[in-house]
Amino acid sequence: MTWIVEAKGLSVENRLARCDLNLRAGELTVLVGPNGAGKTTLLRALARIGGTAGTVAIDGQDLAKASPARRIDLLSFMSASRDMAWPLRAIDYVALALSGNEKSDRAAEALASLEASEFAERRTDTLSTGERTRIMLARALAPQSRVIVLDEPCANLDPQWRIAVIERLRAETRNGTAILLSSHDLDLAIEHADRALVMNEGRIIADDAPQNALNSAILDQVFGVRKSESGHWDRT
Protein backbone atom coordinates (compact mmCIF):
# COMPACT_ATOMS: atom_id res chain seq x y z
CA MET A 1 0.00 0.00 0.00
CA THR A 2 1.33 3.43 -0.96
CA TRP A 3 1.08 6.21 1.60
CA ILE A 4 1.51 9.92 0.93
CA VAL A 5 2.21 10.56 4.64
CA GLU A 6 4.28 8.32 6.88
CA ALA A 7 4.56 9.59 10.45
CA LYS A 8 6.51 7.49 12.94
CA GLY A 9 6.99 7.77 16.68
CA LEU A 10 5.03 10.99 17.18
CA SER A 11 4.84 11.88 20.86
CA VAL A 12 4.57 14.83 23.22
CA GLU A 13 5.43 14.31 26.87
CA ASN A 14 2.34 13.88 29.06
CA ARG A 15 0.03 14.68 26.14
CA LEU A 16 0.55 12.29 23.24
CA ALA A 17 1.68 8.68 23.54
CA ARG A 18 4.03 7.39 20.88
CA CYS A 19 2.05 6.70 17.71
CA ASP A 20 2.47 6.06 14.01
CA LEU A 21 0.10 7.51 11.42
CA ASN A 22 -0.14 7.08 7.65
CA LEU A 23 -2.39 8.94 5.21
CA ARG A 24 -3.35 8.10 1.63
CA ALA A 25 -3.71 10.48 -1.29
CA GLY A 26 -7.33 11.26 -2.08
CA GLU A 27 -8.59 10.19 1.33
CA LEU A 28 -10.64 12.22 3.83
CA THR A 29 -9.78 11.11 7.35
CA VAL A 30 -11.71 12.43 10.35
CA LEU A 31 -10.14 12.46 13.81
CA VAL A 32 -12.58 12.25 16.72
CA GLY A 33 -12.33 11.96 20.47
CA PRO A 34 -13.60 13.56 23.68
CA ASN A 35 -12.28 16.87 24.97
CA GLY A 36 -8.67 16.51 26.10
CA ALA A 37 -8.12 13.30 24.14
CA GLY A 38 -5.10 14.74 22.31
CA LYS A 39 -6.57 15.56 18.89
CA THR A 40 -5.03 19.01 18.57
CA THR A 41 -1.72 17.75 19.91
CA LEU A 42 -1.64 14.99 17.29
CA LEU A 43 -2.48 17.39 14.45
CA ARG A 44 0.21 19.85 15.56
CA ALA A 45 2.70 17.00 15.88
CA LEU A 46 1.91 15.88 12.35
CA ALA A 47 2.44 19.45 11.12
CA ARG A 48 5.72 19.62 13.09
CA ILE A 49 4.53 22.56 15.18
CA GLY A 50 6.20 22.81 18.57
CA GLY A 51 8.49 20.32 20.27
CA THR A 52 7.53 16.87 19.03
CA ALA A 53 9.38 13.59 18.92
CA GLY A 54 9.20 11.42 15.83
CA THR A 55 9.40 11.93 12.08
CA VAL A 56 6.96 12.94 9.35
CA ALA A 57 7.67 12.16 5.69
CA ILE A 58 5.46 13.38 2.85
CA ASP A 59 6.13 11.89 -0.56
CA GLY A 60 9.29 10.51 1.02
CA GLN A 61 10.60 13.91 2.15
CA ASP A 62 11.26 14.70 5.80
CA LEU A 63 8.91 17.59 6.59
CA ALA A 64 11.23 18.97 9.28
CA LYS A 65 14.05 19.35 6.74
CA ALA A 66 11.96 20.94 3.97
CA SER A 67 12.57 24.58 3.05
CA PRO A 68 9.73 26.99 3.87
CA ALA A 69 8.67 27.09 0.21
CA ARG A 70 8.78 23.31 -0.13
CA ARG A 71 7.00 22.82 3.18
CA ILE A 72 3.89 24.68 2.02
CA ASP A 73 3.85 22.52 -1.11
CA LEU A 74 3.79 19.49 1.17
CA LEU A 75 1.48 20.47 4.03
CA SER A 76 -0.98 23.18 4.99
CA PHE A 77 -2.36 23.57 8.53
CA MET A 78 -5.42 25.30 9.95
CA SER A 79 -5.60 25.94 13.68
CA ALA A 80 -8.70 25.47 15.83
CA SER A 81 -8.30 29.03 17.12
CA ARG A 82 -10.16 31.70 15.18
CA ASP A 83 -7.97 34.47 16.57
CA MET A 84 -6.01 36.47 14.00
CA ALA A 85 -2.98 38.40 15.18
CA TRP A 86 -3.23 41.30 12.75
CA PRO A 87 -6.30 43.14 11.36
CA LEU A 88 -5.42 42.46 7.72
CA ARG A 89 -7.74 42.52 4.75
CA ALA A 90 -9.08 39.02 4.25
CA ILE A 91 -7.43 38.65 0.86
CA ASP A 92 -4.06 39.69 2.32
CA TYR A 93 -4.48 37.16 5.12
CA VAL A 94 -5.06 34.36 2.61
CA ALA A 95 -2.15 35.55 0.45
CA LEU A 96 0.26 35.15 3.39
CA ALA A 97 0.19 31.42 2.68
CA LEU A 98 1.38 31.96 -0.90
CA SER A 99 4.42 33.12 -2.80
CA GLY A 100 5.08 34.27 -6.33
CA ASN A 101 3.58 36.83 -8.68
CA GLU A 102 0.18 35.15 -8.83
CA LYS A 103 -0.53 35.01 -5.11
CA SER A 104 -3.24 37.67 -5.24
CA ASP A 105 -5.07 35.76 -7.97
CA ARG A 106 -4.75 32.47 -6.11
CA ALA A 107 -5.94 34.06 -2.88
CA ALA A 108 -8.97 35.45 -4.70
CA GLU A 109 -9.69 32.02 -6.21
CA ALA A 110 -9.53 30.38 -2.78
CA LEU A 111 -11.96 32.91 -1.34
CA ALA A 112 -14.30 32.46 -4.30
CA SER A 113 -14.29 28.69 -3.83
CA LEU A 114 -15.82 29.26 -0.39
CA GLU A 115 -18.18 32.00 -1.59
CA ALA A 116 -16.19 34.47 0.49
CA SER A 117 -15.20 36.98 -2.20
CA GLU A 118 -17.42 39.58 -0.56
CA PHE A 119 -15.09 39.53 2.46
CA ALA A 120 -11.90 40.08 0.44
CA GLU A 121 -11.53 43.79 1.21
CA ARG A 122 -12.83 43.61 4.77
CA ARG A 123 -10.49 43.55 7.75
CA THR A 124 -10.44 40.25 9.55
CA ASP A 125 -11.33 41.88 12.87
CA THR A 126 -14.68 42.96 11.40
CA LEU A 127 -15.71 39.42 10.47
CA SER A 128 -17.88 37.09 12.51
CA THR A 129 -16.37 33.89 13.89
CA GLY A 130 -18.01 31.84 11.14
CA GLU A 131 -16.75 34.23 8.47
CA ARG A 132 -13.23 34.05 9.89
CA THR A 133 -13.49 30.26 9.75
CA ARG A 134 -14.11 30.43 6.01
CA ILE A 135 -11.22 32.87 5.53
CA MET A 136 -8.86 30.60 7.47
CA LEU A 137 -10.00 27.61 5.46
CA ALA A 138 -9.40 29.54 2.24
CA ARG A 139 -5.86 30.22 3.43
CA ALA A 140 -5.33 26.51 4.12
CA LEU A 141 -6.64 25.54 0.68
CA ALA A 142 -4.94 28.27 -1.36
CA PRO A 143 -1.44 26.66 -1.58
CA GLN A 144 -2.90 23.41 -2.94
CA SER A 145 -0.63 21.42 -0.66
CA ARG A 146 -0.28 17.66 -0.94
CA VAL A 147 -1.62 17.27 2.61
CA ILE A 148 -4.11 19.50 4.42
CA VAL A 149 -4.48 19.25 8.20
CA LEU A 150 -7.49 21.03 9.70
CA ASP A 151 -8.34 21.42 13.38
CA GLU A 152 -12.13 21.75 13.79
CA PRO A 153 -12.78 23.36 10.37
CA CYS A 154 -16.55 23.01 10.76
CA ALA A 155 -16.76 24.64 14.18
CA ASN A 156 -18.69 27.94 14.30
CA LEU A 157 -20.40 27.20 10.98
CA ASP A 158 -24.14 26.93 10.43
CA PRO A 159 -25.52 23.67 8.96
CA GLN A 160 -25.47 24.97 5.38
CA TRP A 161 -21.80 25.84 5.60
CA ARG A 162 -20.82 22.64 7.33
CA ILE A 163 -22.16 20.80 4.31
CA ALA A 164 -20.51 23.25 1.91
CA VAL A 165 -17.13 22.84 3.59
CA ILE A 166 -17.30 19.05 3.38
CA GLU A 167 -18.20 19.31 -0.30
CA ARG A 168 -15.26 21.66 -0.85
CA LEU A 169 -12.88 19.28 0.91
CA ARG A 170 -14.23 16.38 -1.12
CA ALA A 171 -13.31 18.32 -4.26
CA GLU A 172 -9.75 18.52 -2.96
CA THR A 173 -9.54 14.79 -2.31
CA ARG A 174 -10.71 14.10 -5.85
CA ASN A 175 -7.57 15.94 -6.95
CA GLY A 176 -5.44 13.56 -4.90
CA THR A 177 -5.01 15.64 -1.74
CA ALA A 178 -4.83 13.84 1.59
CA ILE A 179 -6.98 15.59 4.21
CA LEU A 180 -7.01 14.99 7.95
CA LEU A 181 -9.48 16.98 10.03
CA SER A 182 -10.63 16.85 13.62
CA SER A 183 -14.25 17.15 14.69
CA HIS A 184 -16.58 16.61 17.64
CA ASP A 185 -19.35 15.80 15.17
CA LEU A 186 -19.65 12.01 15.13
CA ASP A 187 -22.26 12.14 12.37
CA LEU A 188 -19.78 14.01 10.17
CA ALA A 189 -17.26 11.21 10.62
CA ILE A 190 -19.78 8.42 10.09
CA GLU A 191 -21.43 9.96 7.03
CA HIS A 192 -18.56 11.68 5.21
CA ALA A 193 -15.18 10.21 6.15
CA ASP A 194 -13.33 7.55 4.21
CA ARG A 195 -11.58 6.68 7.45
CA ALA A 196 -11.98 7.54 11.12
CA LEU A 197 -9.34 7.81 13.80
CA VAL A 198 -10.52 7.67 17.41
CA MET A 199 -8.36 9.15 20.17
CA ASN A 200 -8.65 8.79 23.91
CA GLU A 201 -6.22 9.74 26.66
CA GLY A 202 -3.47 10.68 24.23
CA ARG A 203 -3.65 7.49 22.15
CA ILE A 204 -5.14 6.40 18.87
CA ILE A 205 -7.41 3.53 19.91
CA ALA A 206 -9.21 2.90 16.60
CA ASP A 207 -8.29 3.43 12.95
CA ASP A 208 -10.68 2.00 10.40
CA ALA A 209 -13.66 2.71 8.19
CA PRO A 210 -16.05 4.93 10.20
CA GLN A 211 -18.65 2.21 10.77
CA ASN A 212 -15.96 -0.03 12.28
CA ALA A 213 -13.95 2.57 14.18
CA LEU A 214 -17.11 4.04 15.70
CA ASN A 215 -18.80 0.80 16.69
CA SER A 216 -21.14 0.57 19.66
CA ALA A 217 -18.39 -0.51 22.06
CA ILE A 218 -16.16 2.46 21.15
CA LEU A 219 -19.08 4.89 21.34
CA ASP A 220 -19.91 3.64 24.83
CA GLN A 221 -16.34 3.35 26.11
CA VAL A 222 -14.92 6.61 24.74
CA PHE A 223 -17.87 8.95 24.29
CA GLY A 224 -20.49 7.55 26.65
CA VAL A 225 -23.16 7.69 23.96
CA ARG A 226 -25.18 5.42 21.74
CA LYS A 227 -27.37 6.01 18.72
CA SER A 228 -31.03 5.18 19.12
CA GLU A 229 -33.11 3.45 16.48
CA SER A 230 -34.62 6.83 15.63
CA GLY A 231 -31.14 8.19 14.85
CA HIS A 232 -30.74 10.38 17.97
CA TRP A 233 -27.70 10.32 20.22
CA ASP A 234 -28.37 9.22 23.82
CA ARG A 235 -26.13 8.96 26.85
CA THR A 236 -25.28 5.43 27.89
Side-chain angles (χ1 to χ4, degrees), residues 3 13-14 28 32 51 63 68 76 81 104 116 124 128 144 146 148 176 179 194 218 233-234:
W3 302 100
E13 187 175 1
N14 298 322
L28 176 63
V32 296
L63 186 61
S76 183
S81 172
S104 293
T124 54
S128 72
Q144 300 176 345
R146 291 284 284 144
I148 301 176
I179 297 180
D194 297 310
I218 290 289
W233 291 103
D234 297 322

Side-chain angles (χ1 to χ4, degrees), residues 101-146:
N101 296 329
E102 299 180 355
K103 64 180 183 179
S104 293
D105 291 340
R106 291 177 63 188
E109 289 172 4
L111 288 170
S113 74
L114 290 163
E115 299 179 29
S117 299
E118 63 185 290
F119 308 139
E121 300 300 321
R122 287 179 55 184
R123 285 183 8 176
T124 54
D125 59 343
T126 71
L127 301 174
S128 72
T129 305
E131 290 166 346
R132 288 198 302 273
T133 296
R134 287 158 63 188
I135 299 306
M136 294 179 73
L137 184 56
R139 177 173 169 171
L141 296 175
Q144 300 176 345
S145 306
R146 291 284 284 144

